[in-house]
Amino acid sequence: MPESALDIDKLISAEIPDKDSNPLLFQAVINYMIHGPCGPENYKFPCMNDGRCSKKFPKNFFSRTSIDDDGFPHYKRRNNARVVNKNGVENDAREVPPVQRLPFHLPNEKNIIFSDNASISDVKTRAESRLSIFESWKHANKKYPEGRHLTYAEYPTEFVYKDQTHEWKPRKVGFSIGRINHFSANNGEDSYLRTLLTFQRGCTSSEDLRTINGVFFPTFKDACYSLELLDDDNEYIDAIKEASSWGSATYLRSLFALLLFANSMHRPEKVWEECWKFLSDDVHYRDRKRIGRQDALLTEESIKNITLAQIDKVLQSNGKCLSDYPSMSLITSESLLDMQNRLVVHELMYDRFSLGEEHERLFNSLTDEQRVVYDKIISAVTAGKIFIWNTLLASVRLKAEIVLNVASSRIASLLLPGGRTTYSRFRIPIQINEDSTCNIKPNSTIAELLSKTKLIIWDEAPMVHRFCFEALDRTLRVVLRFSNTSCVDMPFGGKIVVLGGDFRQILPVIPHGSRKKIVNATCRNRIAT
């Protein structure tokens, strides 16, 4: 028995507690941690599928915690004869309660699934006629006053959501535990809305969610501040001021960029206003050295812009920019942004002279078989199509055109000139399914970069699940339709994507997956040869 498994038993219990020695915990287990009853006692329970519990309950008894070959624990659950009575049925510690996932969305940002050939009017009609689970909750608060004392997460304890009618109904038997979908602080207003949903009760509209003690707030963030749910960021202001006594301005700018990147600050604009003079301490010196004049003076606005440009440069090296932080972008000027997408500029910053030399050297080293492939692809390039690996990469970039080099693994991406991982470049979600899309919005800087891209080279393609390719395909069709309406009917929005890799190497990892499931998860069956 691994030592770690024995340690788990000291911290985690999957058993029914003793009613006499710990009555509060015993009651909590009855109310919130017992599944069912399902099975022969209740074949109509939501978890039942073909006469069996889809959650695989009841679980087996174990005398101690063990860890299986896949690394999953089976917690200690002894048969101590303790049972609880729930809805007239005796249950033991092998049952857990059902969980209701609770999605939510910002106003006018409801997810709608539609086919590419659907008309705008049909999509709009469907969106207006079908309420989301979140919208149905607000509608139910209007219809059922008895549920207004509940938060969104508490609603499943007394109400049940009907998929057929897309509405909440008072629960007649049983209960569920509500789990609001998680959003990281990187998502801005989404994360603040989620925070409010754990406190606000009986809301019938988005305006209700932002109304605190009769006062309406314009943003969910402001509403959170009024409830004192967010910190005031004074610790970050003090840290930057303290660091200014021993750290350079360059270091302080990197520190501020790191805080932005990690979304540590709730109000970065406040920290900026308090600390910008420390962050810009070397701006005058650098500017005078650059122009060779010791009497040169800069306006306060210029100093701020130069400092913000330096911070933006640090963010760019980590795949972010100031425009990703709305409160910060409001205090920048057009001179900072240069009216141009820095992502596009970065992808065009190649030495065309050295690329010409590299292209000539690589081209002369091609074998006859490689030359045939090269000639075919170059002929496609002249007709508006695309390229391949380093030789083709040099050829295309020599013409000041954009090629995005990505790979499924970090190590492989380091071998590509200007390479990035696919998850980083295309913002593919880590938890992915058949309906997933990339976190790329139309009219964003990354969307503009993709619209200007001539070729996408994707190395080690067989390593990732086919849902990743489908997510990118689905996203490109949407974000590129604003510049080319015909792209919605073309794979990857009309962009040429060259996939490389070896199907004899590592395939997508599917937990407990059979050979058939693993092969089906690869892109092989989805790619035309």
Side-chain angles (χ1 to χ4, degrees):
M1 173 66 62
E3 190 68 27
S4 59
L6 297 176
D7 292 339
I8 292 176
D9 290 338
K10 301 176 182 177
L11 303 173
I12 298 177
S13 173
E15 301 175 342
I16 296 176
D18 185 80
K19 182 178 180 180
D20 298 325
S21 62
N22 206 332
L24 291 178
L25 182 59
F26 178 81
Q27 192 61 42
V29 169
I30 295 177
N31 293 339
Y32 305 112
M33 301 185 68
I34 298 296
H35 174 72
C38 63
E41 293 82 7
N42 188 1
Y43 282 110
K44 294 183 179 181
F45 205 70
C47 67
M48 296 300 292
N49 186 12
D50 295 330
R52 294 185 177 182
C53 175
S54 60
K55 310 300 181 183
K56 302 185 186 305
F57 289 104
K59 303 291 186 179
N60 294 325
F61 287 115
F62 294 96
S63 60
R64 62 179 62 183
T65 296
S66 62
I67 299 177
D68 62 23
D69 295 336
D70 296 321
F72 291 95
H74 299 283
Y75 295 113
K76 180 177 72 173
R77 188 182 288 106
R78 295 171 298 181
N79 188 3
N80 53 18
R82 293 175 186 169
V83 296
V84 298
N85 189 291
K86 186 172 181 182
N87 298 326
V89 178
E90 289 189 343
N91 290 270
D92 53 32
R94 295 181 293 168
E95 309 281 2
V96 299
V99 175
Q100 170 74 55
R101 292 182 57 189
L102 299 173
F104 66 94
H105 54 82
L106 295 174
N108 301 319
E109 293 191 13
K110 177 172 61 175
N111 289 331
I112 301 295
I113 299 176
F114 57 91
S115 59
D116 291 338
N117 57 0
S119 65
I120 296 297
S121 59
D122 290 342
V123 173
K124 182 179 179 182
T125 300
R126 182 179 181 183
E128 293 174 347
S129 61
R130 179 175 296 180
L131 298 178
S132 65
I133 295 179
F134 182 49
E135 291 172 327
S136 298
W137 169 67
K138 290 183 284 189
H139 180 74
N141 281 328
K142 297 179 183 177
K143 187 175 181 181
Y144 304 106
E146 63 270 25
R148 293 178 186 171
H149 68 286
L150 302 170
T151 64
Y152 188 36
E154 295 169 343
Y155 218 65
T157 62
E158 298 183 20
F159 289 79
V160 61
Y161 182 74
K162 301 294 185 180
D163 291 318
Q164 297 81 4
T165 57
H166 306 287
E167 61 180 341
W168 290 91
K169 292 283 190 180
R171 184 180 292 276
K172 296 180 180 178
V173 295
F175 77 102
S176 288
I177 293 178
R179 288 291 181 266
I180 302 177
N181 286 359
H182 173 72
F183 271 87
S184 69
N186 295 343
N187 294 88
E189 282 289 272
D190 291 284
S191 63
Y192 298 124
L193 171 56
R194 187 186 188 279
T195 300
L196 284 175
L197 289 174
T198 62
F199 288 89
Q200 294 287 68
R201 302 173 185 273
C203 297
T204 60
S205 65
S206 296
E207 289 72 20
D208 280 354
L209 283 165
R210 287 177 283 170
T211 301
I212 310 298
N213 297 326
V215 179
F216 174 75
F217 292 89
T219 66
F220 296 111
K221 182 178 180 179
D222 292 332
C224 286
Y225 265 105
S226 70
L227 288 172
E228 299 181 352
L229 301 176
L230 303 178
D231 296 328
D232 55 14
D233 292 331
N234 285 334
E235 66 271 26
Y236 300 113
I237 296 174
D238 294 338
I240 292 176
K241 289 181 178 180
E242 179 183 349
S244 67
S245 63
W246 52 265
S248 65
T250 301
Y251 169 78
L252 296 179
R253 288 192 292 268
S254 298
L255 174 60
F256 186 82
L258 176 62
L259 293 175
L260 281 175
F261 185 78
N263 277 283
S264 300
M265 301 176 289
H266 292 294
R267 286 191 171 179
E269 69 278 9
K270 176 187 175 183
V271 180
W272 161 258
E273 286 297 339
E274 293 286 338
C275 301
W276 72 267
K277 291 183 179 179
F278 301 105
L279 305 178
S280 61
D281 186 57
D282 62 345
V283 169
H284 254 133
Y285 169 78
R286 289 175 176 271
D287 186 68
R288 288 168 178 172
K289 184 178 180 180
R290 180 178 61 85
I291 64 178
R293 288 184 56 185
Q294 296 302 312
D295 59 344
L297 293 175
L298 294 171
T299 64
E300 182 177 294
E301 183 68 18
S302 297
I303 294 174
K304 286 184 176 181
N305 282 334
I306 294 173
T307 305
L308 286 169
Q310 293 296 321
I311 294 172
D312 190 52
K313 185 177 180 180
V314 178
L315 290 172
Q316 286 283 345
S317 65
N318 291 279
K320 289 280 189 176
C321 60
L322 276 176
S323 60
D324 293 326
Y325 307 92
S327 60
M328 288 297 297
S329 63
L330 293 176
I331 59 177
T332 62
S333 68
E334 293 182 352
S335 61
L336 168 65
L337 300 177
D338 295 328
M339 300 301 291
Q340 196 169 18
N341 187 337
R342 289 179 178 268
L343 291 175
V344 175
V345 173
H346 175 75
E347 290 298 333
L348 293 174
M349 290 178 60
Y350 292 94
D351 186 341
R352 295 171 67 181
F353 178 78
S354 61
L355 283 174
E357 293 181 338
E358 182 183 10
H359 173 260
E360 183 178 359
R361 175 179 59 82
L362 294 173
F363 181 82
N364 293 331
S365 300
L366 291 176
T367 64
D368 293 340
E369 184 179 0
Q370 291 171 333
R371 186 73 63 88
V372 172
V373 176
Y374 175 85
D375 290 339
K376 287 184 178 180
I377 297 179
I378 286 297
S379 64
V381 171
T382 59
K385 305 297 179 183
I386 324 302
F387 357 119
I388 183 175
W389 277 216
N390 288 346
T391 308
L392 299 173
L393 186 72
S395 175
V396 175
R397 283 179 174 166
L398 180 62
K399 301 173 184 177
E401 294 177 325
I402 295 176
V403 182
L404 295 184
N405 269 343
V406 298
S408 300
S409 67
R410 178 61 177 168
I411 294 178
S413 69
L414 296 175
L415 302 177
L416 301 173
R420 294 269 294 275
T421 63
T422 52
Y423 294 94
S424 170
R425 172 59 75 191
F426 302 130
R427 302 179 183 179
I428 299 174
I430 300 299
Q431 299 295 334
I432 195 164
N433 55 52
E434 64 272 16
D435 298 319
S436 294
T437 58
C438 303
N439 187 23
I440 299 175
K441 295 182 180 180
N443 301 322
S444 64
T445 55
I446 183 71
E448 182 184 352
L449 172 65
L450 291 171
S451 69
K452 295 179 181 295
T453 298
K454 289 291 184 179
L455 169 70
I456 297 173
I457 296 178
W458 189 329
D459 197 15
E460 300 293 353
M463 290 182 62
V464 298
H465 201 289
R466 63 180 176 86
F467 289 162
C468 295
F469 301 98
E470 295 173 5
L472 179 61
D473 173 56
R474 194 176 294 114
T475 301
L476 289 177
R477 290 174 188 252
V478 173
V479 300
L480 299 181
R481 68 192 306 170
F482 295 94
S483 57
N484 182 9
T485 55
S486 63
C487 72
V488 297
D489 299 321
M490 305 171 67
F492 296 104
K495 297 296 176 181
I496 302 300
V497 181
V498 178
L499 303 178
D502 190 344
F503 283 99
R504 293 170 296 181
Q505 295 179 343
I506 299 176
L507 297 179
V509 177
I510 308 297
H512 308 290
S514 62
R515 178 185 179 91
K516 179 180 179 181
K517 288 183 178 180
I518 294 175
V519 173
N520 188 53
T522 67
C523 61
R524 184 173 185 175
N525 295 328
R526 303 285 172 165
I527 302 173
T529 56

